[in-house]
Amino acid sequence: MDTKLWKLNATELGAAVARGEILATEVVESHLERIAAVNPVVNAVTQLMADSAREAARETDRRRAAGEELGPLAGVPFTVKENIHVAGWATTHGVPRFRDHVAETDSPPVRRLRAAGAIPIGHSNMPDLAISSDPASRLFGRTYNPWDRSKTPGGTSSGDGVAVAVGMAALGLGNDSGGSVRLPAAFNGVAGLKPSHGRFAADHRILGQEPMLASQLIPVDGPIARSVADLRAAYEALAGADPQDPRAVPVPAYGPRPTGPLKVGIVADPSGTGVHPEIRAAVDEAAAALERAGYAVEEVRIPKLFESLECYGKLIMTEFGVRWSRTRELLTEKGAQNIDLFMERTPHTDLAEFLRQTGVRLGLQRDWAELLETHPLLLGPTCPQPVPGADVLPAATDAESHARMMLPGALCTVTSLVGVPAVSVPTGLAEGLPQGLQVIGRMYREDLCLEAAEVIERHFGVLAPIDPRS
């Protein structure tokens, strides 16, 4: 093939390897060369798995030569966020405290992607313990947005978004508890899937300790890719029940086909704080593209936004508060300041209030189920403002301004709280930098989200891979 292999998307690579048009070893070498060339500029790949990736590629080529059937992602390199276990590699969570915490087994999504033929090529950078929007870790330093180093790459799956955008990997595996897959996807010009709670099996234990309640209910692992077709391939590999995670449910990956035009609710300005004109124009363009494809679109309001944000904050901050004095010392100062401001705005609560908020969450889920019964899909900005600067966090030095800074991510936050799926898809540029919209759906209807996202992608096109810019 004439093109450089690192430029090809995951489904293209998997099909070409399966047909014998290229070797998996060639695919891996191409991506290792790309990492060597551009990672010093963006600092997205942290632990390079070169030898094990080469060995896995040789095994893939041996199996094909022997006539064995290969998976749909055969030979496809993928990065894995520093808080997801890869057997034989340290799960560092970005902090020195865990630099020697070597995983004995793969986390379920890593195992499932391997079963589909994909090959882990490196761990990817993230903010300390994935609890800050500041895209830097004490252990590995700062990740840079390849479109503009002065802008944030988004968090907390920063490294995966950047690695996929610049061609160091065809897929990234991150996690999302309030936009942490979708925002890095949008800010780097790629696509990301936050699945329904329970759709993908995961393992978020640290040193064998199980997560507390809010951390069981809200964070989910999800893929990042350059195209929606690649997200679909990863989704099909990752979906399903798994004995390693009792939360994962045996729901079919594809539900019944809807009858008649599917209603899409447009949520252009979720928090009422304003939406950038170029992003608003993209919402309108995407809505028109969906209408041409046979969808019925109309403006809607999401239920109880500020009550949802309060519920999210109290559940999350109460769990942080239980061990904050011990956790704070593990973080960078900027990361710790971010959580300090969260806790000033939403102090952790007593047990009675925490338990009450678990009931509030259930009521909010009911409200969302009713909205999605009449409008099975919602369309809104992944972020209603252009990509923020890399140093946005230090500018918010009091709880009130910090709250205003966090409002643009409200749609990501509330969809994580209630557990519904969402796909972020690039929609061109705003102020010269990538922007994205998200398609949100009913529980376990990722298939409908992906289908609508493909319509939007056909209209706007694919932005990546790119070469890092200064």
Side-chain angles (χ1 to χ4, degrees):
M1 303 181 76
D2 293 333
T3 189
K4 293 180 179 178
L5 297 182
W6 61 262
K7 291 185 176 181
L8 297 181
N9 289 344
T11 47
E12 295 172 322
L13 289 170
V17 169
R19 290 192 299 262
E21 296 173 3
I22 54 177
L23 296 173
T25 48
E26 295 173 324
V27 174
V28 165
E29 288 302 327
S30 178
H31 285 81
L32 289 173
E33 290 171 6
R34 182 64 173 170
I35 291 170
V38 302
N39 195 54
V41 179
V42 294
N43 194 34
V45 175
T46 49
Q47 301 182 68
L48 184 62
M49 303 171 183
D51 291 343
S52 59
R54 288 181 172 120
E55 178 57 34
R58 287 192 291 269
E59 175 62 14
T60 298
D61 292 336
R62 183 202 65 75
R63 290 181 58 216
R64 193 197 176 279
E68 296 182 33
E69 184 176 350
L70 302 181
L73 297 174
V76 173
F78 69 101
T79 54
V80 184
K81 193 173 179 177
E82 277 282 344
N83 63 358
I84 299 176
H85 306 309
V86 179
W89 295 87
T91 310
T92 70
H93 300 268
V95 297
R97 169 72 174 80
F98 300 120
R99 71 192 315 160
D100 298 320
H101 176 38
V102 176
E104 296 181 0
T105 59
D106 287 336
S107 185
V110 174
R111 176 166 43 80
R112 283 177 174 264
L113 287 174
R114 284 195 205 258
I119 297 172
I121 201 167
H123 264 309
S124 51
N125 210 358
M126 56 175 266
D128 299 337
L129 301 178
I131 59 174
S132 169
S133 299
D134 184 39
S137 73
R138 288 184 67 185
L139 193 54
F140 300 110
R142 180 170 295 276
T143 301
Y144 294 94
N145 188 312
W147 293 80
D148 183 338
R149 285 171 61 87
S150 72
K151 302 296 184 178
T152 181
T156 59
S157 304
S158 316
D160 293 291
V162 172
V164 171
V166 299
M168 293 192 288
L171 293 173
L173 180 63
N175 31 60
D176 192 312
S177 58
S180 291
V181 160
R182 289 164 286 170
L183 290 171
F187 293 169
N188 292 285
V190 293
L193 166 63
K194 184 204 88 69
S196 307
H197 176 262
R199 169 59 84 182
F200 298 163
D203 183 357
H204 296 152
R205 288 175 291 181
I206 300 178
L207 298 178
Q209 183 175 342
E210 300 285 2
M212 292 184 285
L213 182 60
S215 298
Q216 297 170 29
L217 297 176
I218 296 174
V220 290
D221 291 348
I224 292 175
R226 289 192 287 271
S227 74
V228 179
D230 289 356
L231 283 187
R232 183 184 294 277
Y235 164 68
E236 292 173 350
L238 292 167
D242 191 294
Q244 277 192 264
D245 186 354
R247 300 168 299 175
V249 293
V251 179
Y254 290 87
R257 295 296 307 165
T259 58
L262 203 63
K263 280 191 175 182
V264 180
I266 307 301
V267 188
D269 186 7
S271 63
T273 55
V275 57
H276 189 276
E278 290 179 274
I279 297 174
R280 174 71 226 212
V283 173
D284 294 338
E285 275 193 60
L290 290 171
E291 276 195 305
R292 290 192 297 271
Y295 293 82
V297 304
E298 61 185 24
E299 296 270 351
V300 298
R301 292 181 63 87
I302 60 174
K304 300 177 183 174
L305 174 68
F306 292 99
E307 183 177 348
S308 300
L309 295 176
E310 180 183 46
C311 178
Y312 178 92
K314 286 185 174 180
L315 291 176
I316 293 290
M317 289 300 112
T318 298
E319 290 193 359
F320 282 167
V322 169
R323 58 182 78 176
W324 179 233
S325 60
R326 289 172 292 167
T327 302
R328 195 185 194 285
E329 63 188 25
L330 301 177
L331 309 183
T332 64
E333 184 53 36
K334 289 180 182 177
Q337 180 191 42
N338 185 38
I339 304 303
D340 285 339
L341 291 169
F342 262 124
M343 296 185 73
E344 182 181 342
R345 192 174 86 246
T346 309
H348 65 276
T349 65
D350 59 18
L351 177 60
E353 177 61 14
F354 181 86
L355 293 176
R356 190 184 76 82
Q357 289 297 329
T358 65
V360 171
R361 176 180 178 270
L362 179 59
L364 294 168
Q365 289 180 300
R366 184 176 290 109
D367 293 335
W368 272 80
E370 291 174 356
L371 172 61
L372 293 167
E373 181 66 24
T374 57
H375 296 80
L377 294 175
L378 304 180
L379 174 69
T382 307
C383 179
Q385 298 298 325
V387 181
D391 294 325
V392 67
L393 288 179
T397 56
D398 62 88
E400 183 178 347
S401 59
H402 186 263
R404 288 195 301 270
M405 184 192 75
M406 301 307 294
L407 273 176
L411 190 57
C412 288
T413 301
V414 298
T415 46
S416 285
L417 175 69
V418 298
V420 295
V423 173
S424 179
V425 59
T427 50
L429 306 179
E431 296 188 353
L433 295 170
Q435 62 172 326
L437 302 182
Q438 55 183 319
V439 181
I440 299 158
R442 294 172 176 169
M443 291 291 287
Y444 310 118
R445 293 313 305 262
E446 289 86 352
D447 56 333
L448 298 181
C449 297
L450 290 163
E451 190 173 317
E454 285 174 326
V455 172
I456 296 169
E457 182 183 75
R458 283 196 295 272
H459 176 77
F460 287 99
V462 174
L463 293 179
I466 65 163
D467 287 323
R469 303 174 181 179
S470 59

